[in-house]
Amino acid sequence: MIFMPIRWRGKRAWVLVPAGKDPSEDLKAQMRAYSQTSGGLHMIKLRDRVLRCGVPEFQPSMLDLERRDINPWDAGGF
């Protein structure tokens, strides 16, 4: 996995992009636990979809970028 930091409303968030294959269930579970315990934000790009974890406002914000075909790391400090 490639971990790419982005900024979302002044907070650090992570975009995880696979380097070859989709992440294991173990990594996805670890990232969910990270979000739940730390409040951290992240999204994991999978072959057929994107998983988004974090505060409720983060998810629709990332989905909106996707629908407009904007990569989160290209959007700047949004």
Side-chain angles (χ1 to χ4, degrees), residues 3-57:
F3 286 66
M4 300 176 64
I6 62 171
R7 302 294 296 171
W8 179 77
R9 296 185 184 173
K11 296 180 182 181
R12 183 180 61 196
W14 296 97
V15 176
L16 285 67
V17 181
K21 62 179 184 174
D22 279 349
S24 66
E25 292 301 319
D26 184 53
L27 178 61
K28 290 189 276 186
Q30 288 177 29
M31 291 306 296
R32 277 191 301 274
Y34 162 75
S35 285
Q36 291 169 348
T37 58
S38 71
L41 309 167
H42 73 276
M43 54 190 287
I44 302 174
K45 294 186 68 116
L46 303 175
R47 197 172 321 126
D48 59 345
R49 61 193 170 112
V50 177
L51 302 175
R52 298 165 205 84
C53 293
V55 296
E57 302 84 25

